[in-house]
Amino acid sequence: MTSFSTSTLEKKLSDLSNTQHSVQTLSLWLIHHRKHAKAVVQAWYKELSKARQSKRLTFMYLANDVLQNGKRKGTEFLNEFKQILPSAFQTCAQGGRVDDIKGLERLISIWTERNVYDASFLVKLHKCLGQESDSPPPEKKQKLDDEKQASTMEPPDPEDLIKALMELENSASQDAVVREKIANLPAEVQDVSLLEKIEDKETGDRLSKIVDEACLLLADYNGRLAAELEDRATISKMLAAFIQLQRDKLAESEKKLEEYKAKQEKVQLVRQELKSHLENLPDLSKLPDVGGGLAPLPSAGDLFSSGHR
């Protein structure tokens, strides 16, 4: 692991690129040198202020990674960043693109959800963005955005959803081989106090190589875990959209069922009325037999013959 110096730090910050691997590798290096947190944060803000607008958000992502992963080791970075973050947010927001502002708001939401800083400080950061007073509070905005995205997401094809769920079986959290490698890393890689036992340069160089390899391994694995987290969030939204689609279809089916029940009731009513009407009609089979007709009228001859008598 490269030893700490301000010039080394400035070079690393200057070389920082907008990739997850670059951010996480430098974050691990900074956390390793957390006893220099004050100098790190000062250099970070200096380089952020000099950076072009499109790169400033990358510096904020680096700060986010250091804050979240460094707080497990101590509060050094939490305290030092808290002094400079309001100015950093103002610097990033001035002339920032809509995507930059959204990225900063997203950081505030993450820090709210994970209790990185207290609510009053996060509200202060939100005000540094120059947002209108009627903007949603930072702790609610991400939830609203997620709900809006879920409501507008195109319902997935069932086969695509099943495929996405099956791919999670091969995700980073299920990679037992890499997890075993990380678990078997030498104690010297994780315990700074053991560095005092190094007595010669050859041993130090050998350990430095192991530490660098461990950093790359962890950065890569953390990147995969972050990607898995995003995949799971996407699948969750896909499931929400799919469930909403099924609910809509269910509601439509229930509506049709009610319509056809109403039609069935009308047909049943007509059937009953028809049955009642038929029962009130005369039974032709019970009328007298009139099949022979009336007796024939007498002929003229019969009349005269009868009168002559």
Side-chain angles (χ1 to χ4, degrees):
M1 176 73 70
T2 309
S3 60
F4 180 85
S5 70
T6 302
S7 59
T8 300
L9 172 59
E10 291 176 348
K11 177 65 167 59
K12 288 181 176 293
L13 289 169
S14 177
D15 294 340
L16 180 65
S17 63
N18 188 25
T19 64
Q20 196 168 49
H21 180 270
S22 178
V23 169
Q24 291 182 336
T25 300
L26 182 51
S27 173
L28 289 170
W29 188 84
L30 296 177
I31 293 171
H32 180 73
H33 294 290
R34 61 188 177 278
K35 66 180 180 179
H36 302 287
K38 187 177 184 65
V40 167
V41 173
Q42 290 177 346
W44 171 86
Y45 182 66
K46 177 182 176 182
E47 293 299 317
L48 178 145
S49 301
K50 295 191 303 182
R52 60 184 183 277
Q53 184 66 39
S54 59
K55 190 177 179 180
R56 287 176 177 172
L57 194 58
T58 304
F59 276 79
M60 298 304 301
Y61 290 153
L62 173 62
N64 172 59
D65 200 283
V66 172
L67 285 169
Q68 292 202 61
N69 293 310
K71 68 178 183 179
R72 304 189 190 100
K73 305 280 187 178
T75 61
E76 298 93 334
F77 282 113
L78 287 170
N79 297 332
E80 293 299 334
F81 270 114
K82 190 172 185 179
Q83 305 302 318
I84 205 70
L85 279 175
S87 298
F89 266 66
Q90 288 179 339
T91 300
C92 293
Q94 290 174 357
R97 300 168 298 175
V98 174
D99 288 345
D100 294 333
I101 300 299
K102 288 183 177 179
L104 295 171
E105 289 178 333
R106 175 60 177 155
L107 287 179
I108 294 175
S109 296
I110 291 173
W111 295 345
T112 301
E113 294 168 3
R114 302 182 183 179
N115 297 315
V116 176
Y117 285 117
D118 59 85
S120 60
F121 180 70
L122 294 173
V123 170
K124 180 179 179 181
L125 292 182
H126 194 257
K127 290 179 179 178
C128 291
L129 301 179
Q131 301 297 293
E132 296 297 331
S133 58
D134 59 351
S135 297
E139 62 269 17
K140 294 183 179 180
K141 189 175 187 305
Q142 184 59 37
K143 183 179 179 180
L144 293 174
D145 289 343
D146 290 343
E147 289 176 353
K148 181 178 179 182
Q149 184 173 355
S151 64
T152 57
M153 176 178 282
E154 187 72 19
D157 183 273
E159 292 184 1
D160 292 338
L161 183 56
I162 293 173
K163 182 179 178 181
L165 290 170
M166 292 179 65
E167 287 177 351
L168 288 179
E169 296 297 322
N170 298 319
S171 58
S173 61
Q174 305 300 316
D175 193 337
V177 175
V178 173
R179 287 191 286 111
E180 184 177 0
K181 286 182 180 179
I182 294 173
N184 293 330
L185 287 173
E188 292 82 359
V189 173
Q190 307 172 60
D191 191 345
V192 178
S193 63
L194 297 178
L195 297 179
E196 297 177 358
K197 297 182 179 180
I198 299 176
E199 298 179 352
D200 58 81
K201 188 175 185 301
E202 182 180 352
T203 303
D205 289 341
R206 185 165 58 251
L207 180 59
S208 177
K209 182 179 179 181
I210 295 174
V211 170
D212 287 340
E213 290 175 352
C215 283
L216 291 175
L217 175 65
L218 288 166
D220 179 69
Y221 189 61
N222 286 337
R224 290 174 59 198
L225 286 173
E228 178 187 341
L229 185 63
E230 293 179 0
D231 289 342
R232 289 185 182 276
T234 299
I235 291 174
S236 177
K237 292 172 184 176
M238 290 171 65
L239 283 169
F242 182 77
I243 291 172
Q244 186 59 49
L245 174 63
Q246 301 309 311
R247 286 176 176 170
D248 292 342
K249 288 184 176 181
L250 176 61
E252 184 179 351
S253 297
E254 289 176 343
K255 182 179 179 181
K256 288 182 178 179
L257 177 60
E258 292 300 320
E259 290 176 358
Y260 283 101
K261 279 185 176 180
K263 289 183 179 181
Q264 184 183 21
E265 290 175 358
K266 290 179 180 179
V267 172
Q268 290 284 10
L269 181 60
V270 171
R271 182 182 181 185
Q272 292 173 2
E273 290 294 328
L274 177 59
K275 182 179 179 181
S276 176
H277 183 70
L278 290 175
E279 289 175 349
N280 292 327
L281 289 176
D283 188 349
L284 297 180
S285 64
K286 296 180 179 180
L287 293 176
D289 184 11
V290 293
L294 297 174
L297 293 173
S299 63
D302 292 335
L303 291 174
F304 282 109
S305 172
S306 174
H308 184 70
R309 291 176 185 172

